[in-house]
Amino acid sequence: MSEYRHSSVDPHEVLWLKADGKDDAQRLIAMTALGVCRALSSGAISPAYACHRLFGPALLARLDQLDAHPALRHATQLATELEDVADLIPDKLAKSIAEVEAELLKALTDLAPAGFAGEKWLVRAP
């Protein structure tokens, strides 16, 4: 009979993602945001959760530092309002998410690399 032993591992998991340059960082953000939008659309997460985890002032500030693509900044600005849309006019939430997704796809299309340049995003912790 085997015995289960609880390890004393830190309960926080650290996942290191590393983008190579400004455009690569924007692609990573856009794809992550698209995934969050998909989770919102399917009801897997709430707008409050999405805004708390990703769509907030810190992301907007980082995009300003990157001088990010206008469509990516616009999408993120719209996304920061999703919690308010859900609370105040819930029947408009699906349309708002679709608008965010359209802007993200526009930015991603404009930022698309020609090939597989750059390293993988997932890297070992330093």
Side-chain angles (χ1 to χ4, degrees):
M1 180 174 172
S2 64
E3 177 182 54
Y4 172 77
R5 292 186 184 188
H6 178 65
S7 68
S8 60
V9 175
D10 183 355
H12 298 94
E13 279 295 316
V14 176
L15 178 68
W16 290 85
L17 299 173
K18 181 180 177 184
D20 186 25
K22 174 183 156 181
D23 287 353
D24 201 37
Q26 292 178 84
R27 283 190 289 274
L28 175 58
I29 292 166
M31 285 191 258
T32 301
L34 279 166
V36 170
C37 286
R38 177 71 179 121
L40 278 166
S41 294
S42 70
I45 63 171
S46 70
Y49 184 83
C51 289
H52 175 75
R53 289 296 190 165
L54 183 64
F55 299 139
L59 181 56
L60 286 171
R62 185 66 181 119
L63 291 174
D64 284 342
Q65 290 172 345
L66 287 171
D67 191 28
H69 189 284
L72 181 55
R73 285 192 284 196
H74 185 238
T76 305
Q77 181 63 49
L78 293 172
T80 64
E81 300 167 359
L82 291 175
E83 184 176 9
D84 292 336
V85 171
D87 290 342
L88 300 174
I89 41 176
D91 57 317
K92 302 283 185 190
L93 182 60
K95 183 179 178 186
S96 294
I97 294 169
E99 187 177 356
V100 171
E101 289 174 327
E103 288 294 306
L104 290 168
L105 288 170
K106 180 179 177 184
L108 194 55
T109 300
D110 288 349
L111 294 165
F116 293 110
E119 298 296 320
K120 292 185 179 192
W121 286 329
L122 183 60
V123 297
R124 292 186 186 269

